[in-house]
Amino acid sequence: MISENMNYVQSKINEACKRAGRNPEEVTLIAVSKTKPASYIEEAYNAGKRDFGENKVQELCDKYDILPDDIKWHLIGHLQTNKVKYIVEKAYMIHSVDSFKLASQIEKEAIKHNKDVDILIEVNVANEESKFGLTYEETISTIEQIKDLSHVHIKGLMTIAPFTDTPEDNRKYFKKLKELSIKIAELGMNNVEMRELSMGMTNDYEIAVEEGATLVRVGTGIFGERNYNI
């Protein structure tokens, strides 16, 4: 069932790319495996998936230790500074950097491990009080601080759009994040790429792809409803 679900989601991504005149190879589907057992991840892995997303540091670390080492683990949930030391060597990319303080802590741990860390800057485009992320207005000034860190490399932006029963409602937020990424790219800052746009989840990833997403984070659409009791 998991492999069938992945194929279905990928087909929808391909269709969205076609509508937008994009190459489907520009878009990476991240299978969000939070709360799901390793056996589910193994099934997706055996079907060819290598990019997986986790919200919690502990859960990512536990799975990292028992699953194949060629998996690319994306930390997509909020990251506390005191948890950075556990994740720096394990995460392929950290999507949720929302302050210079957090980026500085990542830098500190990256230097200890002699490792370069790729990050995305999380932007709270919809200004939801319940969500983390920089405001649209804060983003460029924060990037200007982070860009001088030697072991932390900004690869793009990330947002979590509001949950809605009408995916079309989120188009404006995805469009705004894309516009911001273009604006930042035009500044030509060293150590700052706008290669990645991490946006879109199970209910709205097709809209996100149409508006320029390069990374879409799909959990329920692949693995089914989350189990919060584990």
Side-chain angles (χ1 to χ4, degrees), residues 1 20 45 47 67 86 119 121-122 156 175 194 202 222:
M1 182 60 76
Y45 178 91
L67 288 159
Y86 302 114
I119 67 166
I121 302 300
E122 182 173 1
K175 195 182 289 285
M194 286 292 116
T202 292
I222 293 173

Side-chain angles (χ1 to χ4, degrees), residues 182-197:
I182 292 169
K183 185 176 179 181
I184 293 166
E186 287 173 347
L187 295 173
M189 289 185 272
N190 287 332
N191 195 31
V192 178
E193 294 180 63
M194 286 292 116
R195 190 181 72 206
E196 306 290 2
L197 273 183

Side-chain angles (χ1 to χ4, degrees), residues 4 7 14 18 32 41 44 48 56 61 66-68 90 92-93 101 106 112 133 138 156 162 185-186 191 208 213 224:
E4 287 88 343
N7 289 338
N14 294 349
K18 188 174 182 180
V32 178
I41 299 171
K56 294 183 178 178
C61 291
I66 61 172
L67 288 159
K90 295 178 171 66
Y92 170 76
M93 182 174 283
K101 179 183 176 185
I106 295 170
K112 279 186 193 175
E138 294 171 325
E186 287 173 347
N191 195 31

Side-chain angles (χ1 to χ4, degrees), residues 57-116:
V57 168
Q58 186 60 55
E59 193 172 353
L60 189 156
C61 291
D62 290 345
K63 291 172 178 176
Y64 179 94
D65 289 339
I66 61 172
L67 288 159
D69 59 11
D70 63 336
I71 286 177
K72 296 175 181 176
W73 292 103
H74 298 255
L75 184 72
I76 60 176
H78 179 63
L79 177 59
Q80 296 170 295
T81 53
N82 65 340
K83 299 283 181 69
V84 169
K85 59 189 173 186
Y86 302 114
I87 205 73
V88 156
E89 288 194 291
K90 295 178 171 66
Y92 170 76
M93 182 174 283
I94 299 172
H95 289 226
S96 49
V97 177
D98 60 0
S99 69
F100 177 65
K101 179 183 176 185
L102 176 57
S104 299
Q105 187 63 33
I106 295 170
E107 171 80 0
K108 182 179 173 183
E109 293 297 332
I111 290 171
K112 279 186 193 175
H113 296 284
N114 191 29
K115 182 172 173 58
D116 289 297

Side-chain angles (χ1 to χ4, degrees), residues 81-208:
T81 53
N82 65 340
K83 299 283 181 69
V84 169
K85 59 189 173 186
Y86 302 114
I87 205 73
V88 156
E89 288 194 291
K90 295 178 171 66
Y92 170 76
M93 182 174 283
I94 299 172
H95 289 226
S96 49
V97 177
D98 60 0
S99 69
F100 177 65
K101 179 183 176 185
L102 176 57
S104 299
Q105 187 63 33
I106 295 170
E107 171 80 0
K108 182 179 173 183
E109 293 297 332
I111 290 171
K112 279 186 193 175
H113 296 284
N114 191 29
K115 182 172 173 58
D116 289 297
V117 181
D118 290 344
I119 67 166
L120 303 178
I121 302 300
E122 182 173 1
V123 186
N124 185 352
V125 183
N127 291 323
E128 289 185 278
E129 288 186 12
S130 62
K131 299 263 176 71
F132 293 101
L134 294 161
T135 66
Y136 186 93
E137 293 73 23
E138 294 171 325
T139 302
I140 291 177
S141 60
T142 303
I143 287 175
E144 286 174 336
Q145 290 180 289
I146 295 172
K147 70 178 173 59
D148 294 324
L149 300 175
S150 60
H151 288 62
V152 173
H153 309 295
I154 297 171
K155 298 298 181 183
L157 306 177
M158 177 267 224
T159 198
I160 300 172
F163 182 81
T164 174
D165 291 326
T166 311
E168 187 63 38
D169 291 347
N170 283 338
R171 189 181 295 277
K172 59 182 178 287
Y173 302 122
F174 299 143
K175 195 182 289 285
K176 193 171 182 181
L177 193 73
K178 175 66 174 178
E179 289 169 354
L180 180 59
S181 76
I182 292 169
K183 185 176 179 181
I184 293 166
E186 287 173 347
L187 295 173
M189 289 185 272
N190 287 332
N191 195 31
V192 178
E193 294 180 63
M194 286 292 116
R195 190 181 72 206
E196 306 290 2
L197 273 183
S198 173
M199 57 188 194
M201 300 192 291
T202 292
N203 64 320
D204 57 16
Y205 66 87
E206 292 179 69
I207 304 291

